[in-house]
Amino acid sequence: VNKHKPWIETSYHGIITENNDTVILDPPLVALDKDAPVPFAGEICAFKIHGREMPFEAVVLNKTSGEGRLRAKSPIDCELQKEYTFIIQAYDCGSGPGGTNWKKSHKAVVHIQVKDVNEFSPAFKESVYKATVTEGKIYDSILQVEAIDEDCSPQYSQICNYEIVTTDVPFAIDRNGNIRNTEKLSYDKQHQYEIMVTAFDCGQKYATEDVLVRVNVKPVCKPGWQDWNKRIEYRPGSGSIPLFPSIHLETCDGPVSSIHTTIELQTNYIGKGCDRETYSEKSLQKLCGASSGAIDLLPSPSTATNWTAGLLMDSNDIIFKFDGKQGAKIPDGIVPKNLTDQFTITLWMKHGPSPGLRAEKETILCNSDKTEMNRHHYALYVHNCRLVFLLRKDFDQADTFRPAEFHWKLDQICDKEWHYYVVNVEFPVVTLYMDGTTYEPYLVTNDWPIHPSHIAMQLTVGACWQGGEVTKPRFAQYFHGSLASLTIRPGKIESQKVISCLQACKEGLDINSLESLGQGIKYHFNPSQSVLVMEGDDIENINQALRKVSYINSRQFPTAGVRRLKVSSKVQCFGEDVCISIPDIDAYVMVFQANEPKITITGMDHFARPAAQFESERGVILLPDIRIVSTVTKMEHPVDLREHDRANKQVVVEEMLHNLDFCDVLVIGAELDPEQECLELDHGELQGKHLDATNSTAGYSIYGVDSMFSYEQVLRQLRYRNWGTSATSDRKFRVKCSELNGRYTSNEFNLEVNILHSSNSNFMDHVNHMIVQPQFLQSVQHPEGSVSAVHNSVVPSVATIVIIICVSILVFVITLGVYRIRTAQQHGSAEHEGAKENEMDWDDSALTITVNPMEKYEKPHQTEEESEEEDIDDEEEDTTSAESDDSEEEEEEEEEEEVIVQKGDKQNATRQEQL
């Protein structure tokens, strides 16, 4: 009989490791029954668990002892559920084998905890962490990174530490993920840092992937101009280019009330203070409309101007450097003795403080006694950084106390920079212009006139000639510095307009579209446009205005090199004088070298004329078809140029237009004899052009800044006359042109002119009167490849002589025609084609005169027919000698004239006779 219920503990506590099925219970699962050892009634048959879908089951291990085991029916995952609580009861086997009348124990509570396994690695919440810091500060925490672990237990789910994987970075991280910098960061050193960070849990399991942390370094807000380039490139011919197209001002939120900005273009080391035209002073004065008559006292050394040959010189800009040891004597006759009461002295000067404690006078220009005495008649000199002009009148000009010394005290005299000085003398008033600005003398001292004497005077530059009071005349009062373009113009003074033009810079600052400047922007340029001052109240308007400031260089061939730029600014704030300081901008413009032009002179390089033409009143035009062309060579850079094709860049030659500043027509060989020959040019040809001309026995010089076309026009009117032709048989000339005072020069074009002296000139008269004067030139190709155009001229005669000649020629041609018909019958058509040079044809349709082809008059050739016909030989020798350099042109009249041209010896060029 089953009298008793099984007995179990009232509660159990169990532990199960996840992913395992065994539960360890405390106390062990054992059921007891007082009916034991009665079979069935005293045995335990089952343990039953009460609860919804509990993943556990209890099994009986031994019915007699009542021992059981609790196990998991499926894998237990701590991450899904950390613990379980349920009810368990034990059942006995009942009263028989059928299990009837079974009894169950009381209910016992089972509490099971799931033991965690470290199966998950830490993972960061963000894929990338970003932070921004300001340079120069140490932060306690820049940002915090955070990682999580999906394990369920505190041991494995808790992040125990973080580490920075990237080495050599100024950052550290604590166990909570806070990142800090270990040193002050600099924006200039590094704008951004990228560091990798990892984490590990308390089970020492590391994160599977490190996380990227970006730290941006923000510069400390510094007031100043931003977004500008230090180097600005300028190519010749670019016009006006903006200097700072994207610039803007950072004020760091300061309460700005006004901005004052100065832009300065520093060009004092370029040429004479800036990029100016490097033409000669004479050419520049002509270009600027200065009155003529200026005498250049410091010209480039040449045969005619050799007094500057011994001076130190910078040949590019015709700058003379005086080191206190040199002076130059101006030859007598260059400058007239009497300058009159009106005259002008102009010069460029660069001068520094005088060496030594007691400064000596430093002479620029001095006119003193050549011998016996040491009187200074007029002089321009520097003394203690003062410019002094001395002018002593003679007694025959004035006999009263008159102004004699004029003093100017200017800082620019000793600032070691180039300045342009003009001394305008309208005695007794003397005015100084320095860089176009007028300065009156601060001190004028009077003196008595100089006593008259017959002592000759010596004009010098760079020192003063001391002719008396010394044992041997010598230079004294030497100049220390640089001079250029020193001129003196007797009888006239210069206007303010001309002076401004002469010292004008060809480069400077500019403003694009003035009309689009913002409201309230004030601006001001200095006279040379090297300094621009802008002022405004609104920051954005100032930004827009500064973006329009540009650099311009109007020279076609500018001086290459660096032009420095400086931008300085002052900012005022509301209620304060100065609130923030704006650093200066130091930039530079790089001006590239212009493509070098090649100037080529072409035209007729050889011709002959009868002596009568040279002896005529108008003479002979030397260069009727001269042509001046300038070309520049450029390299083409195709866009789709491949690597292996870069060596084969295409060279393109382009024609370009530019001015010339002189062309010289020089005589080669003996100079012209003024008693019997000269070069002439009507001065009316120079009117309306910026040109002038000088004539000498050495040649003809045309100078002035003007176009190549203007020079061509003038050169084509230059004539050569020779009224003593018996002593001359030929003349050779050379033409050479220049741009920028010799910086670019042309080829040397040589011209040979032959004067024909002929005792048998009558035959030439016959021929010339039977043909029509040609109206064009024909080119003759020589074997050497040179092309020369030969112009045929006709010598006019009286009408009566023409009639006699025509009758004579008619008889001669009829006789010759009969002879030619017989010859043609004997030799046939084949020989007719290979006839010698002196053949003449008869056309019975009309009268046709055929003259033999031209032979070199120096070596006339004889043909078979010349030996047979002595009369023909006499006349044709004169013809060939008189017309050896004439070319042939075919005239088309109502009746066509035929000319048969035969080839002579292979070494001779083809010569043609014009009809």
Side-chain angles (χ1 to χ4, degrees), residues 432-446:
L432 172 70
Y433 293 87
M434 198 273 296
D435 292 339
T437 305
T438 309
Y439 294 91
E440 297 296 333
Y442 82 95
L443 174 65
V444 178
T445 59
N446 295 344

Side-chain angles (χ1 to χ4, degrees), residues 291-545:
S291 50
S292 59
I295 302 164
D296 193 354
L297 301 181
L298 285 176
S300 297
S302 66
T303 309
T305 58
N306 57 0
W307 64 86
T308 58
L311 301 177
L312 297 174
M313 179 183 176
D314 182 350
S315 58
N316 289 336
D317 298 314
I318 322 179
I319 293 171
F320 293 88
K321 299 178 181 178
F322 295 87
D323 57 1
K325 300 176 183 177
Q326 295 155 321
K329 290 183 181 180
I330 309 298
D332 295 339
I334 298 294
V335 178
K337 292 181 180 180
N338 183 16
L339 295 178
T340 73
D341 284 344
Q342 284 191 341
F343 61 93
T344 301
I345 299 173
T346 66
L347 72 147
W348 283 97
M349 182 176 73
K350 182 168 75 170
H351 181 265
S354 303
L357 296 175
R358 186 182 174 204
E360 297 289 336
K361 291 181 179 179
E362 298 179 58
T363 300
I364 300 168
L365 179 68
C366 179
N367 190 31
S368 58
D369 290 330
K370 187 177 287 189
T371 56
E372 298 181 30
M373 301 182 73
N374 188 29
R375 300 176 304 174
H376 295 185
H377 297 264
Y378 62 86
L380 184 66
Y381 60 89
V382 175
H383 188 212
N384 286 326
C385 291
R386 290 165 174 80
L387 187 67
V388 182
F389 177 65
L390 169 70
L391 180 62
R392 300 284 302 278
K393 290 287 186 179
D394 291 340
F395 252 111
D396 56 356
Q397 295 174 314
D399 57 357
T400 58
F401 215 46
R402 288 294 187 95
E405 283 190 359
F406 303 83
H407 299 249
W408 292 272
K409 185 178 180 181
L410 303 172
D411 295 336
Q412 292 88 338
I413 293 171
C414 287
D415 65 356
K416 296 183 180 180
E417 304 289 349
W418 280 106
H419 298 286
Y420 188 61
Y421 299 87
V422 178
V423 179
N424 263 356
V425 179
E426 281 185 290
F427 195 78
V429 177
V430 179
T431 305
L432 172 70
Y433 293 87
M434 198 273 296
D435 292 339
T437 305
T438 309
Y439 294 91
E440 297 296 333
Y442 82 95
L443 174 65
V444 178
T445 59
N446 295 344
D447 205 344
W448 290 102
I450 292 178
H451 291 285
S453 68
H454 300 289
I455 301 172
M457 291 181 285
Q458 177 64 62
L459 183 61
T460 56
V461 174
C464 198
W465 185 253
Q466 190 170 356
E469 302 177 4
V470 289
T471 55
K472 183 180 179 181
R474 58 179 174 83
F475 280 119
Q477 300 175 3
Y478 289 99
F479 181 74
H480 297 79
S482 297
L483 297 174
S485 305
L486 175 59
T487 69
I488 189 166
R489 179 181 286 103
K492 293 181 181 177
I493 61 170
E494 284 303 354
S495 66
Q496 177 87 38
K497 181 180 179 182
V498 171
I499 293 170
S500 299
C501 172
L502 288 172
Q503 61 95 36
C505 286
K506 293 297 179 179
E507 63 179 344
L509 300 173
D510 193 18
I511 298 179
N512 291 332
S513 59
L514 283 170
E515 64 278 357
S516 63
L517 281 180
Q519 293 290 328
I521 298 294
K522 300 176 183 178
Y523 68 93
H524 172 70
F525 282 103
N526 69 334
S528 62
Q529 286 195 218
S530 61
V531 178
L532 169 62
V533 178
M534 306 181 82
E535 190 173 354
D537 301 332
D538 184 73
I539 295 177
E540 187 54 38
N541 284 344
I542 282 286
N543 290 341
Q544 293 290 342

Side-chain angles (χ1 to χ4, degrees), residues 582-632:
I582 306 294
D584 292 345
I585 288 179
D586 288 312
Y588 65 93
V589 179
M590 184 67 206
V591 180
F592 288 102
Q593 184 75 45
N595 290 319
E596 187 167 332
K598 180 182 179 183
I599 306 169
T600 306
I601 303 175
T602 57
M604 174 175 61
D605 61 0
H606 182 247
F607 69 85
R609 295 286 184 277
Q613 290 195 22
F614 292 98
E615 294 171 357
S616 66
E617 184 181 348
R618 298 290 293 174
V620 173
I621 292 179
L622 276 184
L623 306 160
D625 63 342
I626 192 169
R627 183 91 170 90
I628 306 173
V629 177
S630 182
T631 56
V632 64

Side-chain angles (χ1 to χ4, degrees), residues 48-52 54 85-89 91 107:
K48 288 188 178 179
I49 293 174
H50 302 282
R52 292 184 179 179
M54 283 297 159
T85 301
F86 52 87
I87 303 298
I88 190 171
Q89 285 180 308
Y91 290 78
K107 295 179 179 178

